[in-house]
Amino acid sequence: MLSLTRFAEAVVGALLGVGAMWVVAHAALATAGGAMPPPATIPNAVAGDDDATMKQHAVDVVDYTMSAVLDRPLHVVHATGTIVWRNTSSNAVRELWFHLYLNAFKNERTVFLRAPVASGRGTTTVADWGYIDVTKLVARELDGVDLWPGADKTSPGDPDDQTDIRVPLPREIRPGETLTLDAAWDAKLPGIIERTGFSDDFHMVAQWFPKLAKLEHNGQWRHFPFYHLTEFYADFGTYDVTLDVPSGMVVGATGQRLSFASEKGRDVMRYRQTDVHDFAWTAWSSFREKSARVEGVDIRALYPPGYEAIADREIATVSFALRYFGEQYGRYPYPVLTLVHPPEAAGEAGGMEYPTLITCGGAWYDPRFAHDVEAITIHEFGHQYFYGLVASDEQSFPVLDEGINSFAEANSLTAMLGQGSAIDVLGLQVSVETVLRLGSTRAAHNEPVAQAAQAFASGGDYGALVYGRTATILDTLCRVYGRDRFMATLGRYTRRYRFEHPTLEQFIGVIREGLGDGAAKNLEIALSERGWVDYAVVNAVSKRDDAPAGIFDRNGKRETIVRGASEASTWRGWALVMRHGTLRFPVDVELWSEDGTLQIAHWDSAEDWIRIPYEGSSELARVIVDPAVNVTLDENLFNNGFRVSAAVSPRRTLERATYFAELGLQGLLP
């Protein structure tokens, strides 16, 4: 995610140059709450509108029972386990696909490390190589045959990558049939990179076991190598994991700890969690620990020495998030939540999500006026819903996870912190919505938002479009069609598709149900067709309603009428408003008279332009389209207002300052 701390530092450093413009620019978005009156709830209540309609448990597809022993000096996990997999598809299968993600860090020729990505996570040199060596994969139901010797050695079509491995089967596994696999492997952790690894005594153990790819309902495996920008996709099941670490190491892991024992200088503990699709853990001898209990959930924060104040902020943030997300998107179903703040040297492990465990980020000195700590924490907690519970295919459509979650992050931070949700200092308040909007504008026309992670031209485009652009698209829908209505619709989506792996089409379908065809069409165009919009007031005029001057032939006589002083008290005119781009959002247009009278016209934007008539007791002074800035996708706020006379009104000054401030801020964003 965007570093709001770096953003805040840049802003503070530039305050003397653009201070007044900053305040004015943010005011345009911070006060934009005047969406058109919607119904308070979505009509025609159906499945997904409340917690009672949610699935309580996932379909149990694959269960992992694993034992892992950490060799601290070598940074190797020696592991054995049993994988019980059920064919829940409609077709028989003759192969399995495994993801061996640690092999992404095996050498510089892997798909991950040779990717031409100029920015993003994991771009640093690997400090120490990592890999998975599978030594056994015995299938009990297949006469105890060891399947691993017959497995493909590399990813399909790529002799240099070993992250996507096909394992042929000696016979078909029919729908409903179960396969039990006894496995053994060694996982060598790399130096901290991307989401996993070690730094001295700190170990973040993620993507550490041979993980079955997801089998779709049609019997097709969704398998893929570990691309640089991609994330993960898997079936739900139960994880029962026993961890064995040197005594004195503090451990955090997915799920509930069921037992703990110490013997011969080793600590052995067992964790178990149902209804999840991954398992990660961490171990470090220097962790400090805080705990809290909120909404029936045991929160455990692990953090470096000296980070006590940061840990307090993280606990306060997830305490709010458990309540807020629970109300908006459905109750958090797990009994535990572990927060891991990596040490400074392992910062690359921060800002990541796993079931019931998130890694946070930020320095011990991060100031309270720049809410970077809160933003990272609530963003990663939000993934418990959009990555964890809804569990879409993040590789094919990261917009369904990172994108929707970025909107949820901004929305929840504003609910928690107010309009200064990104920065709040010296009277200057900047919202996360503003940061995301400005950060996404530079890439808005580059490529579609809704595409596979590896299809993006650069890490910069991926971040700007998937995170920032999606959040701004959803923010626009929220403002234009009404907050209550939109939030109820998004809550319908997360409740209906809990544990269901929904597609982009299903997400758009729920938007259509709740907000109508127009909203769904706008969403589809914005995500898939580089949709954009710019509203502009092109011109506006008015004149007194005098008798017309000129030469007139009337009743056989020619009469010349000369315009003179008029006694007419009515002014008539018009305003020409245009919509550029492919999106069509309904907007309000304000027509202000010189005497302060306001007229509001509503335009559905069905046409490319509209000429709005004006009639008033004084001259038309100024015209403003979308005065509440509901359409935060609007590319140029500068042309949203028009002053009829030469004098510049305060509102016109606002528009001009907003525009130039935005131009300046785009250069300040990280």
PDB file of all heavy atoms in Angstrom, residues 213-239:
ATOM      1  N   ALA A 213      -3.026 -26.382  -5.323  1.00  0.00           N
ATOM      2  CA  ALA A 213      -3.756 -25.336  -6.039  1.00  0.00           C
ATOM      3  C   ALA A 213      -5.254 -25.555  -5.849  1.00  0.00           C
ATOM      4  O   ALA A 213      -5.699 -26.599  -5.340  1.00  0.00           O
ATOM      5  CB  ALA A 213      -3.392 -25.371  -7.519  1.00  0.00           C
ATOM      6  N   LYS A 214      -6.043 -24.584  -6.276  1.00  0.00           N
ATOM      7  CA  LYS A 214      -7.499 -24.694  -6.122  1.00  0.00           C
ATOM      8  C   LYS A 214      -8.109 -25.392  -7.331  1.00  0.00           C
ATOM      9  O   LYS A 214      -7.832 -25.035  -8.471  1.00  0.00           O
ATOM     10  CB  LYS A 214      -8.146 -23.323  -5.947  1.00  0.00           C
ATOM     11  CG  LYS A 214      -9.629 -23.433  -5.620  1.00  0.00           C
ATOM     12  CD  LYS A 214     -10.312 -22.096  -5.524  1.00  0.00           C
ATOM     13  CE  LYS A 214     -11.747 -22.265  -5.054  1.00  0.00           C
ATOM     14  NZ  LYS A 214     -12.489 -23.303  -5.796  1.00  0.00           N
ATOM     15  N   LEU A 215      -8.949 -26.372  -7.051  1.00  0.00           N
ATOM     16  CA  LEU A 215      -9.697 -27.041  -8.111  1.00  0.00           C
ATOM     17  C   LEU A 215     -11.070 -26.376  -8.222  1.00  0.00           C
ATOM     18  O   LEU A 215     -11.838 -26.351  -7.256  1.00  0.00           O
ATOM     19  CB  LEU A 215      -9.860 -28.526  -7.798  1.00  0.00           C
ATOM     20  CG  LEU A 215     -10.535 -29.365  -8.885  1.00  0.00           C
ATOM     21  CD1 LEU A 215      -9.646 -29.447 -10.131  1.00  0.00           C
ATOM     22  CD2 LEU A 215     -10.855 -30.769  -8.367  1.00  0.00           C
ATOM     23  N   GLU A 216     -11.368 -25.817  -9.398  1.00  0.00           N
ATOM     24  CA  GLU A 216     -12.652 -25.147  -9.590  1.00  0.00           C
ATOM     25  C   GLU A 216     -13.768 -26.179  -9.758  1.00  0.00           C
ATOM     26  O   GLU A 216     -13.527 -27.367  -9.960  1.00  0.00           O
ATOM     27  CB  GLU A 216     -12.580 -24.221 -10.811  1.00  0.00           C
ATOM     28  CG  GLU A 216     -11.516 -23.145 -10.720  1.00  0.00           C
ATOM     29  CD  GLU A 216     -11.848 -22.044  -9.724  1.00  0.00           C
ATOM     30  OE1 GLU A 216     -12.722 -22.243  -8.841  1.00  0.00           O
ATOM     31  OE2 GLU A 216     -11.228 -20.970  -9.813  1.00  0.00           O
ATOM     32  N   HIS A 217     -15.006 -25.697  -9.698  1.00  0.00           N
ATOM     33  CA  HIS A 217     -16.162 -26.596  -9.754  1.00  0.00           C
ATOM     34  C   HIS A 217     -16.202 -27.392 -11.056  1.00  0.00           C
ATOM     35  O   HIS A 217     -16.731 -28.507 -11.092  1.00  0.00           O
ATOM     36  CB  HIS A 217     -17.455 -25.801  -9.583  1.00  0.00           C
ATOM     37  CG  HIS A 217     -17.612 -25.213  -8.210  1.00  0.00           C
ATOM     38  ND1 HIS A 217     -17.614 -25.982  -7.069  1.00  0.00           N
ATOM     39  CD2 HIS A 217     -17.769 -23.923  -7.789  1.00  0.00           C
ATOM     40  CE1 HIS A 217     -17.762 -25.206  -6.000  1.00  0.00           C
ATOM     41  NE2 HIS A 217     -17.849 -23.951  -6.419  1.00  0.00           N
ATOM     42  N   ASN A 218     -15.656 -26.819 -12.132  1.00  0.00           N
ATOM     43  CA  ASN A 218     -15.701 -27.503 -13.430  1.00  0.00           C
ATOM     44  C   ASN A 218     -14.582 -28.523 -13.612  1.00  0.00           C
ATOM     45  O   ASN A 218     -14.421 -29.100 -14.690  1.00  0.00           O
ATOM     46  CB  ASN A 218     -15.656 -26.489 -14.572  1.00  0.00           C
ATOM     47  CG  ASN A 218     -14.354 -25.683 -14.585  1.00  0.00           C
ATOM     48  OD1 ASN A 218     -13.457 -25.908 -13.769  1.00  0.00           O
ATOM     49  ND2 ASN A 218     -14.266 -24.729 -15.491  1.00  0.00           N
ATOM     50  N   GLY A 219     -13.794 -28.752 -12.565  1.00  0.00           N
ATOM     51  CA  GLY A 219     -12.725 -29.731 -12.642  1.00  0.00           C
ATOM     52  C   GLY A 219     -11.418 -29.207 -13.194  1.00  0.00           C
ATOM     53  O   GLY A 219     -10.477 -29.982 -13.409  1.00  0.00           O
ATOM     54  N   GLN A 220     -11.316 -27.891 -13.412  1.00  0.00           N
ATOM     55  CA  GLN A 220     -10.080 -27.281 -13.899  1.00  0.00           C
ATOM     56  C   GLN A 220      -9.268 -26.740 -12.719  1.00  0.00           C
ATOM     57  O   GLN A 220      -9.803 -26.060 -11.847  1.00  0.00           O
ATOM     58  CB  GLN A 220     -10.403 -26.141 -14.873  1.00  0.00           C
ATOM     59  CG  GLN A 220     -11.149 -26.581 -16.114  1.00  0.00           C
ATOM     60  CD  GLN A 220     -10.342 -27.540 -16.963  1.00  0.00           C
ATOM     61  OE1 GLN A 220      -9.181 -27.283 -17.277  1.00  0.00           O
ATOM     62  NE2 GLN A 220     -10.955 -28.656 -17.338  1.00  0.00           N
ATOM     63  N   TRP A 221      -7.979 -27.041 -12.720  1.00  0.00           N
ATOM     64  CA  TRP A 221      -7.095 -26.528 -11.669  1.00  0.00           C
ATOM     65  C   TRP A 221      -6.727 -25.073 -11.958  1.00  0.00           C
ATOM     66  O   TRP A 221      -6.373 -24.731 -13.080  1.00  0.00           O
ATOM     67  CB  TRP A 221      -5.814 -27.354 -11.600  1.00  0.00           C
ATOM     68  CG  TRP A 221      -6.002 -28.724 -11.024  1.00  0.00           C
ATOM     69  CD1 TRP A 221      -6.168 -29.895 -11.707  1.00  0.00           C
ATOM     70  CD2 TRP A 221      -6.035 -29.058  -9.637  1.00  0.00           C
ATOM     71  NE1 TRP A 221      -6.303 -30.946 -10.836  1.00  0.00           N
ATOM     72  CE2 TRP A 221      -6.222 -30.463  -9.552  1.00  0.00           C
ATOM     73  CE3 TRP A 221      -5.924 -28.322  -8.453  1.00  0.00           C
ATOM     74  CZ2 TRP A 221      -6.301 -31.133  -8.331  1.00  0.00           C
ATOM     75  CZ3 TRP A 221      -6.000 -28.997  -7.239  1.00  0.00           C
ATOM     76  CH2 TRP A 221      -6.189 -30.381  -7.179  1.00  0.00           C
ATOM     77  N   ARG A 222      -6.807 -24.215 -10.926  1.00  0.00           N
ATOM     78  CA  ARG A 222      -6.335 -22.832 -11.045  1.00  0.00           C
ATOM     79  C   ARG A 222      -4.916 -22.790 -10.480  1.00  0.00           C
ATOM     80  O   ARG A 222      -4.712 -22.542  -9.294  1.00  0.00           O
ATOM     81  CB  ARG A 222      -7.254 -21.880 -10.269  1.00  0.00           C
ATOM     82  CG  ARG A 222      -8.417 -21.402 -11.073  1.00  0.00           C
ATOM     83  CD  ARG A 222      -8.004 -20.487 -12.238  1.00  0.00           C
ATOM     84  NE  ARG A 222      -7.381 -19.257 -11.740  1.00  0.00           N
ATOM     85  CZ  ARG A 222      -6.162 -18.882 -12.067  1.00  0.00           C
ATOM     86  NH1 ARG A 222      -5.420 -19.598 -12.890  1.00  0.00           N
ATOM     87  NH2 ARG A 222      -5.673 -17.762 -11.576  1.00  0.00           N
ATOM     88  N   HIS A 223      -3.983 -23.060 -11.327  1.00  0.00           N
ATOM     89  CA  HIS A 223      -2.589 -23.096 -10.906  1.00  0.00           C
ATOM     90  C   HIS A 223      -1.810 -22.043 -11.691  1.00  0.00           C
ATOM     91  O   HIS A 223      -2.163 -21.692 -12.820  1.00  0.00           O
ATOM     92  CB  HIS A 223      -1.996 -24.485 -11.138  1.00  0.00           C
ATOM     93  CG  HIS A 223      -1.954 -24.878 -12.584  1.00  0.00           C
ATOM     94  ND1 HIS A 223      -0.873 -24.627 -13.401  1.00  0.00           N
ATOM     95  CD2 HIS A 223      -2.875 -25.493 -13.368  1.00  0.00           C
ATOM     96  CE1 HIS A 223      -1.117 -25.069 -14.616  1.00  0.00           C
ATOM     97  NE2 HIS A 223      -2.330 -25.604 -14.639  1.00  0.00           N
ATOM     98  N   PHE A 224      -0.755 -21.540 -11.092  1.00  0.00           N
ATOM     99  CA  PHE A 224       0.053 -20.491 -11.723  1.00  0.00           C
ATOM    100  C   PHE A 224       1.368 -20.380 -10.976  1.00  0.00           C
ATOM    101  O   PHE A 224       1.457 -20.708  -9.793  1.00  0.00           O
ATOM    102  CB  PHE A 224      -0.684 -19.146 -11.700  1.00  0.00           C
ATOM    103  CG  PHE A 224      -1.343 -18.837 -10.379  1.00  0.00           C
ATOM    104  CD1 PHE A 224      -0.648 -18.215  -9.348  1.00  0.00           C
ATOM    105  CD2 PHE A 224      -2.673 -19.183 -10.158  1.00  0.00           C
ATOM    106  CE1 PHE A 224      -1.253 -17.943  -8.135  1.00  0.00           C
ATOM    107  CE2 PHE A 224      -3.281 -18.913  -8.939  1.00  0.00           C
ATOM    108  CZ  PHE A 224      -2.573 -18.296  -7.927  1.00  0.00           C
ATOM    109  N   PRO A 225       2.418 -19.947 -11.658  1.00  0.00           N
ATOM    110  CA  PRO A 225       3.688 -19.718 -10.961  1.00  0.00           C
ATOM    111  C   PRO A 225       3.584 -18.505 -10.040  1.00  0.00           C
ATOM    112  O   PRO A 225       2.603 -17.752 -10.081  1.00  0.00           O
ATOM    113  CB  PRO A 225       4.678 -19.485 -12.100  1.00  0.00           C
ATOM    114  CG  PRO A 225       3.850 -19.003 -13.237  1.00  0.00           C
ATOM    115  CD  PRO A 225       2.513 -19.676 -13.100  1.00  0.00           C
ATOM    116  N   PHE A 226       4.607 -18.324  -9.232  1.00  0.00           N
ATOM    117  CA  PHE A 226       4.635 -17.185  -8.309  1.00  0.00           C
ATOM    118  C   PHE A 226       5.142 -15.971  -9.076  1.00  0.00           C
ATOM    119  O   PHE A 226       6.336 -15.718  -9.163  1.00  0.00           O
ATOM    120  CB  PHE A 226       5.536 -17.512  -7.122  1.00  0.00           C
ATOM    121  CG  PHE A 226       5.428 -16.519  -5.981  1.00  0.00           C
ATOM    122  CD1 PHE A 226       6.156 -16.719  -4.821  1.00  0.00           C
ATOM    123  CD2 PHE A 226       4.604 -15.409  -6.041  1.00  0.00           C
ATOM    124  CE1 PHE A 226       6.084 -15.833  -3.759  1.00  0.00           C
ATOM    125  CE2 PHE A 226       4.511 -14.516  -4.990  1.00  0.00           C
ATOM    126  CZ  PHE A 226       5.258 -14.731  -3.844  1.00  0.00           C
ATOM    127  N   TYR A 227       4.193 -15.222  -9.644  1.00  0.00           N
ATOM    128  CA  TYR A 227       4.542 -13.981 -10.331  1.00  0.00           C
ATOM    129  C   TYR A 227       4.917 -12.910  -9.307  1.00  0.00           C
ATOM    130  O   TYR A 227       4.502 -12.956  -8.148  1.00  0.00           O
ATOM    131  CB  TYR A 227       3.364 -13.488 -11.166  1.00  0.00           C
ATOM    132  CG  TYR A 227       2.987 -14.386 -12.310  1.00  0.00           C
ATOM    133  CD1 TYR A 227       1.829 -15.161 -12.256  1.00  0.00           C
ATOM    134  CD2 TYR A 227       3.775 -14.466 -13.453  1.00  0.00           C
ATOM    135  CE1 TYR A 227       1.468 -15.989 -13.308  1.00  0.00           C
ATOM    136  CE2 TYR A 227       3.418 -15.294 -14.513  1.00  0.00           C
ATOM    137  CZ  TYR A 227       2.269 -16.049 -14.427  1.00  0.00           C
ATOM    138  OH  TYR A 227       1.920 -16.868 -15.466  1.00  0.00           O
ATOM    139  N   HIS A 228       5.651 -11.913  -9.784  1.00  0.00           N
ATOM    140  CA  HIS A 228       6.139 -10.881  -8.874  1.00  0.00           C
ATOM    141  C   HIS A 228       5.003 -10.143  -8.168  1.00  0.00           C
ATOM    142  O   HIS A 228       5.078  -9.894  -6.963  1.00  0.00           O
ATOM    143  CB  HIS A 228       6.999  -9.867  -9.634  1.00  0.00           C
ATOM    144  CG  HIS A 228       7.593  -8.820  -8.734  1.00  0.00           C
ATOM    145  ND1 HIS A 228       8.856  -8.931  -8.221  1.00  0.00           N
ATOM    146  CD2 HIS A 228       7.088  -7.675  -8.227  1.00  0.00           C
ATOM    147  CE1 HIS A 228       9.102  -7.888  -7.449  1.00  0.00           C
ATOM    148  NE2 HIS A 228       8.056  -7.111  -7.436  1.00  0.00           N
ATOM    149  N   LEU A 229       3.956  -9.782  -8.884  1.00  0.00           N
ATOM    150  CA  LEU A 229       2.894  -8.964  -8.307  1.00  0.00           C
ATOM    151  C   LEU A 229       1.696  -9.779  -7.819  1.00  0.00           C
ATOM    152  O   LEU A 229       0.772  -9.229  -7.243  1.00  0.00           O
ATOM    153  CB  LEU A 229       2.410  -7.927  -9.329  1.00  0.00           C
ATOM    154  CG  LEU A 229       3.438  -6.884  -9.757  1.00  0.00           C
ATOM    155  CD1 LEU A 229       2.892  -6.015 -10.883  1.00  0.00           C
ATOM    156  CD2 LEU A 229       3.858  -6.016  -8.576  1.00  0.00           C
ATOM    157  N   THR A 230       1.717 -11.081  -8.048  1.00  0.00           N
ATOM    158  CA  THR A 230       0.530 -11.862  -7.741  1.00  0.00           C
ATOM    159  C   THR A 230       0.446 -12.217  -6.269  1.00  0.00           C
ATOM    160  O   THR A 230       1.426 -12.132  -5.530  1.00  0.00           O
ATOM    161  CB  THR A 230       0.512 -13.148  -8.578  1.00  0.00           C
ATOM    162  OG1 THR A 230      -0.805 -13.682  -8.587  1.00  0.00           O
ATOM    163  CG2 THR A 230       1.450 -14.192  -7.990  1.00  0.00           C
ATOM    164  N   GLU A 231      -0.752 -12.598  -5.862  1.00  0.00           N
ATOM    165  CA  GLU A 231      -0.929 -13.144  -4.525  1.00  0.00           C
ATOM    166  C   GLU A 231      -1.513 -14.538  -4.650  1.00  0.00           C
ATOM    167  O   GLU A 231      -1.190 -15.244  -5.596  1.00  0.00           O
ATOM    168  CB  GLU A 231      -1.738 -12.178  -3.666  1.00  0.00           C
ATOM    169  CG  GLU A 231      -0.993 -10.848  -3.549  1.00  0.00           C
ATOM    170  CD  GLU A 231      -1.299 -10.040  -2.320  1.00  0.00           C
ATOM    171  OE1 GLU A 231      -1.810 -10.613  -1.347  1.00  0.00           O
ATOM    172  OE2 GLU A 231      -1.043  -8.832  -2.334  1.00  0.00           O
ATOM    173  N   PHE A 232      -2.383 -14.965  -3.764  1.00  0.00           N
ATOM    174  CA  PHE A 232      -2.632 -16.391  -3.640  1.00  0.00           C
ATOM    175  C   PHE A 232      -4.109 -16.745  -3.802  1.00  0.00           C
ATOM    176  O   PHE A 232      -4.987 -15.890  -3.747  1.00  0.00           O
ATOM    177  CB  PHE A 232      -2.096 -16.876  -2.294  1.00  0.00           C
ATOM    178  CG  PHE A 232      -0.698 -16.377  -2.031  1.00  0.00           C
ATOM    179  CD1 PHE A 232      -0.438 -15.487  -1.009  1.00  0.00           C
ATOM    180  CD2 PHE A 232       0.343 -16.770  -2.845  1.00  0.00           C
ATOM    181  CE1 PHE A 232       0.842 -15.008  -0.790  1.00  0.00           C
ATOM    182  CE2 PHE A 232       1.636 -16.306  -2.640  1.00  0.00           C
ATOM    183  CZ  PHE A 232       1.887 -15.425  -1.608  1.00  0.00           C
ATOM    184  N   TYR A 233      -4.371 -18.043  -3.965  1.00  0.00           N
ATOM    185  CA  TYR A 233      -5.721 -18.534  -4.198  1.00  0.00           C
ATOM    186  C   TYR A 233      -5.740 -20.008  -3.838  1.00  0.00           C
ATOM    187  O   TYR A 233      -4.915 -20.781  -4.355  1.00  0.00           O
ATOM    188  CB  TYR A 233      -6.088 -18.337  -5.667  1.00  0.00           C
ATOM    189  CG  TYR A 233      -7.512 -18.669  -6.058  1.00  0.00           C
ATOM    190  CD1 TYR A 233      -8.594 -18.310  -5.252  1.00  0.00           C
ATOM    191  CD2 TYR A 233      -7.771 -19.325  -7.251  1.00  0.00           C
ATOM    192  CE1 TYR A 233      -9.893 -18.595  -5.637  1.00  0.00           C
ATOM    193  CE2 TYR A 233      -9.072 -19.609  -7.652  1.00  0.00           C
ATOM    194  CZ  TYR A 233     -10.129 -19.240  -6.835  1.00  0.00           C
ATOM    195  OH  TYR A 233     -11.419 -19.519  -7.221  1.00  0.00           O
ATOM    196  N   ALA A 234      -6.624 -20.404  -2.943  1.00  0.00           N
ATOM    197  CA  ALA A 234      -6.621 -21.794  -2.491  1.00  0.00           C
ATOM    198  C   ALA A 234      -7.986 -22.161  -1.934  1.00  0.00           C
ATOM    199  O   ALA A 234      -8.827 -21.294  -1.657  1.00  0.00           O
ATOM    200  CB  ALA A 234      -5.545 -22.007  -1.425  1.00  0.00           C
ATOM    201  N   ASP A 235      -8.189 -23.468  -1.746  1.00  0.00           N
ATOM    202  CA  ASP A 235      -9.427 -23.971  -1.162  1.00  0.00           C
ATOM    203  C   ASP A 235      -9.392 -23.871   0.355  1.00  0.00           C
ATOM    204  O   ASP A 235      -8.327 -23.821   0.981  1.00  0.00           O
ATOM    205  CB  ASP A 235      -9.638 -25.431  -1.570  1.00  0.00           C
ATOM    206  CG  ASP A 235     -10.327 -25.579  -2.912  1.00  0.00           C
ATOM    207  OD1 ASP A 235     -11.364 -24.920  -3.113  1.00  0.00           O
ATOM    208  OD2 ASP A 235      -9.824 -26.342  -3.760  1.00  0.00           O
ATOM    209  N   PHE A 236     -10.584 -23.883   0.950  1.00  0.00           N
ATOM    210  CA  PHE A 236     -10.709 -23.847   2.407  1.00  0.00           C
ATOM    211  C   PHE A 236     -10.516 -25.239   3.001  1.00  0.00           C
ATOM    212  O   PHE A 236     -10.741 -26.266   2.352  1.00  0.00           O
ATOM    213  CB  PHE A 236     -12.093 -23.329   2.807  1.00  0.00           C
ATOM    214  CG  PHE A 236     -12.269 -21.860   2.624  1.00  0.00           C
ATOM    215  CD1 PHE A 236     -12.892 -21.362   1.489  1.00  0.00           C
ATOM    216  CD2 PHE A 236     -11.830 -20.967   3.585  1.00  0.00           C
ATOM    217  CE1 PHE A 236     -13.072 -19.993   1.321  1.00  0.00           C
ATOM    218  CE2 PHE A 236     -12.005 -19.600   3.425  1.00  0.00           C
ATOM    219  CZ  PHE A 236     -12.626 -19.114   2.286  1.00  0.00           C
ATOM    220  N   GLY A 237     -10.129 -25.238   4.275  1.00  0.00           N
ATOM    221  CA  GLY A 237      -9.992 -26.486   4.999  1.00  0.00           C
ATOM    222  C   GLY A 237      -9.578 -26.233   6.432  1.00  0.00           C
ATOM    223  O   GLY A 237      -9.685 -25.112   6.948  1.00  0.00           O
ATOM    224  N   THR A 238      -9.079 -27.269   7.080  1.00  0.00           N
ATOM    225  CA  THR A 238      -8.619 -27.198   8.463  1.00  0.00           C
ATOM    226  C   THR A 238      -7.104 -27.378   8.500  1.00  0.00           C
ATOM    227  O   THR A 238      -6.568 -28.284   7.857  1.00  0.00           O
ATOM    228  CB  THR A 238      -9.290 -28.283   9.318  1.00  0.00           C
ATOM    229  OG1 THR A 238     -10.703 -28.047   9.350  1.00  0.00           O
ATOM    230  CG2 THR A 238      -8.753 -28.276  10.741  1.00  0.00           C
ATOM    231  N   TYR A 239      -6.445 -26.501   9.253  1.00  0.00           N
ATOM    232  CA  TYR A 239      -4.996 -26.595   9.443  1.00  0.00           C
ATOM    233  C   TYR A 239      -4.724 -26.957  10.905  1.00  0.00           C
ATOM    234  O   TYR A 239      -5.173 -26.253  11.819  1.00  0.00           O
ATOM    235  CB  TYR A 239      -4.314 -25.279   9.094  1.00  0.00           C
ATOM    236  CG  TYR A 239      -4.225 -25.014   7.606  1.00  0.00           C
ATOM    237  CD1 TYR A 239      -5.337 -24.590   6.885  1.00  0.00           C
ATOM    238  CD2 TYR A 239      -3.031 -25.216   6.921  1.00  0.00           C
ATOM    239  CE1 TYR A 239      -5.264 -24.362   5.519  1.00  0.00           C
ATOM    240  CE2 TYR A 239      -2.940 -24.988   5.555  1.00  0.00           C
ATOM    241  CZ  TYR A 239      -4.069 -24.561   4.858  1.00  0.00           C
ATOM    242  OH  TYR A 239      -3.992 -24.334   3.500  1.00  0.00           O
TER     243      TYR A 239
END
